[in-house]
Amino acid sequence: MQAVALRLTGDRAVLYRVRILGSQDTLLDDAGSHYFYQCYIQGSVDFICGNSRSLYKNCTLHSVAKGYGAIAAQHRNSANQDTGFSFVNCKISGSGRVFLGRAWGEYSRVIYSKCDIDGIIDPKGMQYLENISVRAMEQIEQVECNGPRLNDSEAEPFLDVKFIGGQQWLRL
């Protein structure tokens, strides 16, 4: 059933080796800058959603969809908002036919880079909700990721803790 297992609204949060289990809307990554490292996130539809600026590094994203599902639903309504989800070196596995993301806002930003993806991703990669007039959707592919490809210089800002301003607050 649809239920949020974890809502994160604080700024500068670090989650390390946390398991977040649910179905629809599992993780509401709502607001702030966040760093997820070696986390396991399980769901079926929009199981990572919200409007934060988050870096997911070396995480496992596991689909339990029985039919169709979607990993991320990022909610960015303006090109001026400095938010988005960046998935780096993540493992994507599970069941069902899954979209990498669904545009929740008109400027949704979801980036996948260097991810290891099982054959569960729908070839379209993204699903656009009927009531959203999508103006911009950024997404990269490296290794086995789906979607339009950014060149190395375009991808650079999304690949490390600089994306979340982490060099100022994150001590790893």
Side-chain angles (χ1 to χ4, degrees), residues 141-161:
E141 70 167 296
Q142 293 182 13
V143 184
E144 298 177 24
C145 299
N146 296 309
R149 195 181 283 274
L150 298 177
N151 65 41
D152 288 344
S153 64
E154 291 171 320
E156 177 73 29
F158 304 102
L159 298 179
D160 63 23
V161 297

Side-chain angles (χ1 to χ4, degrees), residues 38-166:
Q38 295 182 356
C39 293
Y40 179 92
I41 305 165
Q42 175 180 292
S44 59
V45 178
D46 304 337
F47 59 95
I48 300 171
C49 57
N51 190 25
S52 65
R53 182 172 64 167
S54 294
L55 175 63
Y56 297 80
K57 194 158 187 186
N58 299 341
C59 293
T60 298
L61 313 175
H62 187 76
S63 169
V64 292
K66 294 191 185 341
Y68 267 88
I71 296 170
Q74 206 274 333
H75 190 246
R76 182 173 171 243
N77 284 319
S78 164
N80 297 327
Q81 284 183 300
D82 192 17
T83 63
F85 300 151
S86 180
F87 299 94
V88 179
N89 294 324
C90 292
K91 169 72 177 153
I92 299 171
S93 62
S95 62
R97 199 67 168 154
V98 182
F99 291 101
L100 289 172
R102 298 193 318 158
W104 185 10
E106 292 186 10
Y107 292 86
S108 296
R109 182 162 57 181
V110 179
I111 298 101
Y112 292 86
S113 55
K114 302 177 184 175
C115 293
D116 180 18
I117 301 176
D118 284 352
I120 62 170
I121 300 300
D122 186 285
K124 290 183 229 162
M126 301 302 295
Q127 180 183 40
Y128 302 98
L129 302 178
E130 292 177 21
N131 60 340
I132 297 292
S133 156
V134 177
R135 291 178 174 69
M137 174 66 73
E138 297 181 41
Q139 182 185 348
I140 64 172
E141 70 167 296
Q142 293 182 13
V143 184
E144 298 177 24
C145 299
N146 296 309
R149 195 181 283 274
L150 298 177
N151 65 41
D152 288 344
S153 64
E154 291 171 320
E156 177 73 29
F158 304 102
L159 298 179
D160 63 23
V161 297
K162 292 178 197 166
F163 174 65
I164 57 172

